[in-house]
Amino acid sequence: MSTNASPADPLAALGALPGVGDSVDSVRKAVDRVYGHRVMRRRSNEITAEAALRGARASAALSGADWALEEVRRRTDFSADPETRTVGAALRLTSEAGQLLSIWRQSPLRVLARLHLVAASGSRDDETVGRPRLAGETVDEPLVEAPLPDADEVAGRLESLSDLIIAGSSAPALVTAAVVHGELLALRPFGSCNGLVARTAERIVLIGSGLDPKSVCPAEVGHAEQGRAAYLAAFEGYLSGTPDGMAAWISHCGRAVELGVRESTAVCEALQRGAA
């Protein structure tokens, strides 16, 4: 994170980085447009459900299980093999996210533990499920090859992240969501499913902040649409901790939200044509 941040609100300074304000404004305008769509006034529950499905599919794709949307919609058994379990985990997480909003601001670490428990449900290594990894424990996260912080660093940085969330910030929701996502991806605090958990936590911040209260702007769709290479390149910016790197990551996350908005707008248009 930027070393120029004030101790009282270290996230706020990130909002002043070059280009971040433009990303925040662009995201807000995009979100306002989809919320103003006439279909949202009558059928928002359907848009929310479809956004959840598409977001889960996209998050699973980023974690190596790139299934067609209709295949995800059709399946009922998600226990057969690693790819199938990844898709099942993404679906469970998306369903769980909305139920944890009230807990997030008071106990984010409890929420993260719950998310991992839900994602890794049925894991053979039950001792590591639902808790941060201990010294010597390995991590299964093939997408991210960045150096892995040790268990002590993970514990300290998780506590710091929790304190930031509980204290609150004047930073825009996009900034907070991007930092939560990036920090969890950097730490990979659990033995598995860290990417899925990080993207779900981003979703929780966007919903709970009031930016996307109906959860119809799936950033996961945008992350997947921009591609793994762009996702990892932007994440390298977060890892660098430089102002330019942080700004690039936040802007990347903003573009992901905008692409999620575009996806839900297309769903709105399809429903409107069907109703006409």
Side-chain angles (χ1 to χ4, degrees):
M1 295 182 195
S2 171
T3 56
N4 296 324
S6 69
D9 190 357
L11 295 179
L14 298 178
L17 292 174
V20 171
D22 291 341
S23 292
V24 169
D25 290 344
S26 185
V27 165
R28 167 51 69 190
K29 290 174 183 175
V31 172
D32 286 348
R33 283 195 298 271
V34 73
Y35 271 81
H37 197 286
R38 60 184 297 183
V39 170
M40 279 292 295
R41 293 195 290 271
R42 297 178 285 111
R43 304 175 71 175
S44 64
N45 288 343
E46 292 174 66
I47 308 301
T48 296
E50 190 65 20
L53 182 72
R54 293 176 185 228
R57 189 218 71 80
S59 190
L62 283 171
S63 287
D66 192 359
W67 287 17
L69 180 63
E70 291 311 313
E71 178 67 8
V72 177
R73 200 189 302 278
R74 180 185 68 81
R75 281 290 189 103
T76 56
D77 179 11
F78 294 96
S79 60
D81 55 68
E83 270 201 18
T84 307
R85 289 194 292 272
T86 295
V87 175
L91 289 167
R92 291 192 300 272
L93 284 171
T94 304
S95 176
E96 188 79 7
Q99 302 176 46
L100 298 171
L101 295 173
S102 62
I103 306 171
W104 175 252
R105 284 297 299 272
Q106 284 74 44
S107 184
L109 296 183
R110 181 180 163 196
V111 170
L112 292 174
R114 174 62 186 171
L115 290 176
H116 187 249
L117 187 65
V118 167
S121 174
S123 170
R124 290 173 293 178
D125 194 359
D126 291 335
E127 290 185 0
T128 68
V129 172
R131 64 156 174 80
R133 54 188 168 83
L134 304 177
E137 292 181 344
T138 59
V139 172
D140 179 16
E141 194 64 49
L143 175 65
V144 181
E145 298 179 353
L148 194 66
D150 64 31
D152 288 341
E153 182 179 350
V154 167
R157 286 171 64 176
L158 280 178
E159 284 291 344
S160 296
L161 183 64
S162 176
D163 290 345
L164 285 176
I165 294 164
I166 293 169
S169 173
S170 62
L174 172 64
V175 172
T176 303
V179 168
V180 167
H181 182 171
E183 188 69 356
L184 291 174
L185 208 58
L187 295 178
R188 282 147 287 161
F190 303 108
S192 62
C193 304
N194 289 288
L196 296 175
V197 168
R199 290 184 288 275
T200 304
E202 179 186 46
R203 172 185 283 262
I204 288 173
V205 174
L206 294 172
I207 300 169
S209 67
L211 178 64
D212 181 22
K214 294 183 183 295
S215 191
V216 298
C217 308
E220 304 96 326
V221 168
H223 287 304
E225 188 169 333
Q226 292 177 90
R228 284 194 197 182
Y231 183 66
L232 292 176
F235 176 57
E236 285 293 329
Y238 180 87
L239 289 175
S240 76
T242 65
D244 286 349
M246 294 296 293
W249 170 249
I250 294 166
S251 296
H252 181 89
C253 291
R255 181 59 180 157
V257 176
E258 291 186 64
L259 290 170
V261 167
R262 187 175 72 178
E263 186 89 352
S264 287
T265 301
V267 173
C268 287
E269 295 292 338
L271 288 175
Q272 183 168 283
R273 288 193 300 273

